[in-house]
């Protein structure tokens, strides 16, 4: 006969663990929300909205729009978390480490105060949580700091997929690899490799040898102000640079991503 008290103990321990749903919400268009993401959102008692300051107000507005459109009923609470800011000076890795520690501390504090052990919280992650996003690393840190969490991940449409769809292109040439990288790392890419570049505040594409490369660029993908440009890198680099600067000045912020692909012979 199984020992019922032993099973019950395990159940109680499981029940006493906060549940966090990490939900990819797509890259800017509420229509990017998958059915799975919508269902996960509706399971949450508490929806956690990171507040990254006025520059990212438009991104926060999108999260709220998604909630207004897809949440059923009114049994959900909203919690704002003021996101710590990364130090602009000092070594990059150290800066990121300190920044993640600060975010983990803030999240842990809010999980403990805003979410009971029987409740479920939702973190709405831009695009897909696996791509240049630290939410999953931060949850690991929180667990390592001693707060038990049970979390699930729901993939979202990333800006990379949105870029490829809007330009109507495959990301890879037949049988070829593609490097996913950042503006900071672009110059260090291996010779001959096609690259998808995110997080490029410096327009690194304009500082590399553009011979034989095509650029597929997209800004504000999925949003009302979406801009697409494409062509041989050498021919359009200056125009993209100029357009980017103009858009950034007009809106006060920009998000752009691009593919650098070798021209087919
Ligand atoms: C912190 S990363 C987050 C990426 C996100 N997890 C994803 O799956 O797309 C932010 C970068 O993603 C890219 N990005 C995200 N959304 C975008 C959009 N709507 N249009 C263009 N680029 C976007 C930009 O390169 C931006 O610097």
């Amino acid at each position: 006969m199984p020992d019922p008290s032993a099973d019950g103990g395990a159940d109680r321990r499981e029940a006493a663990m906060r549940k966090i749903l990490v939900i990819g919400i797509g890259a800017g268009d509420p229509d990017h929300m998958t059915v799975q993401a919508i269902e996960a959102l509706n399971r949450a008692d508490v929806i956690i909205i990171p507040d990254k300051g006025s520059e990212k107000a438009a991104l926060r507005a999108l999260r709220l729009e998604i909630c207004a459109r897809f949440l059923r009923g009114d049994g959900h609470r909203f919690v704002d978390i003021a996101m710590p800011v990364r130090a602009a000076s000092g070594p990059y890795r150290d800066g990121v480490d300190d920044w993640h520690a600060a975010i983990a501390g803030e999240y842990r504090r809010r999980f403990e105060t805003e979410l009971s052990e029987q409740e479920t919280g939702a973190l709405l992650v831009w695009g897909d949580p696996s791509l240049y996003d630290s939410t999953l690393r931060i949850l690991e840190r929180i667990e390592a700091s001693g707060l038990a969490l049970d979390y699930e991940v729901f993939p979202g449409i990333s800006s990379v997929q949105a870029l490829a769809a809007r330009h109507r292109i495959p990301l890879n040439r037949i049988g070829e690899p593609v490097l996913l990288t950042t503006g900071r790392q672009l110059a260090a890419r291996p010779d001959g490799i096609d690259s998808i570049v995110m997080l490029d505040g410096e327009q690194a594409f304009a500082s590399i040898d553009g011979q034989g490369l095509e650029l597929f660029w997209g800004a504000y993908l999925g949003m009302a102000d979406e801009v697409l440009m494409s062509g041989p890198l050498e021919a359009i680099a200056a125009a993209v640079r100029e357009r980017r600067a103009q858009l950034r000045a007009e809106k006060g912020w920009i998000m752009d991503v691009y593919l650098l692909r070798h021209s087919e012979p």
Side-chain angles (χ1 to χ4, degrees):
M1 246 300 286
D3 173 1
S5 64
D7 283 357
D11 285 350
R12 269 195 301 281
R13 274 197 301 281
E14 263 183 38
M17 209 188 276
R18 288 174 180 85
K19 179 127 196 148
I20 303 291
L21 309 177
V22 181
I23 306 175
I25 60 168
D29 182 346
D31 283 356
H32 287 174
M33 283 287 283
T34 65
V35 174
Q36 209 182 29
I38 294 170
E39 292 311 311
L41 184 66
N42 277 287
R43 279 166 59 198
D45 301 296
V46 176
I47 292 156
I48 297 157
I49 309 276
D51 189 347
K52 295 182 177 176
S54 58
E55 188 185 286
K56 298 280 169 72
L59 310 192
R60 186 172 188 280
L62 181 87
R63 287 186 171 90
L64 295 177
E65 186 186 335
I66 282 173
C67 291
R69 182 161 151 196
F70 296 114
L71 273 179
R72 300 183 291 265
D74 49 12
H76 313 271
R77 308 195 299 280
F78 289 86
V79 168
D80 280 322
I81 297 196
M83 294 289 278
V85 179
R86 179 163 65 87
S89 58
Y92 178 71
R93 289 249 167 208
D94 294 351
V96 170
D97 195 54
D98 291 349
W99 181 45
H100 285 178
I103 296 175
E106 185 60 15
Y107 269 73
R108 177 175 176 159
R109 194 173 69 75
R110 301 306 291 272
F111 289 169
E112 286 177 311
T113 53
E114 306 286 350
L115 206 59
S116 81
E117 289 183 340
Q118 283 72 35
E119 284 188 315
T120 298
L123 293 173
L124 308 189
V125 173
W126 197 261
D128 182 76
S130 69
L131 263 187
Y132 290 101
D133 184 275
S134 291
T135 306
L136 299 174
R137 271 184 283 270
I138 282 159
L139 292 180
E140 277 179 13
R141 268 183 189 253
I142 295 174
E143 283 198 302
S145 76
L147 184 71
L149 293 176
D150 176 17
Y151 56 94
E152 275 180 65
V153 182
F154 300 87
I157 292 181
S158 70
S159 55
V160 175
Q161 291 161 299
L163 176 78
R166 297 296 291 133
H167 279 288
R168 304 185 301 178
I169 50 164
L171 290 171
N172 64 289
R173 288 175 294 144
I174 297 172
E176 295 295 331
V178 186
L179 177 73
L180 196 56
T181 189
T182 63
R184 196 185 287 267
Q185 299 279 353
L186 180 64
R189 74 198 183 290
D191 275 351
I193 196 161
D194 295 344
S195 309
I196 297 159
V197 186
M198 306 174 85
L199 293 163
D200 183 3
E202 308 295 328
Q203 297 101 79
F205 59 82
S207 323
I208 60 171
D209 176 7
Q211 211 184 2
L213 286 174
E214 285 178 286
L215 173 65
F216 296 88
W217 181 79
Y220 314 111
L221 290 160
M223 301 178 210
D225 304 322
E226 179 180 277
V227 183
L228 301 173
M229 291 175 81
S230 63
L233 179 58
E234 285 179 327
I236 68 164
V240 173
R241 235 181 117 88
E242 204 174 299
R243 190 76 203 278
R244 188 185 189 282
Q246 179 204 355
L247 291 165
R248 188 171 193 277
E250 277 169 20
K251 275 180 87 79
W253 61 277
I254 190 161
M255 282 206 301
D256 60 329
V257 58
Y258 54 91
L259 170 68
L260 282 173
R261 198 173 73 177
H262 288 80
S263 315
E264 298 283 4

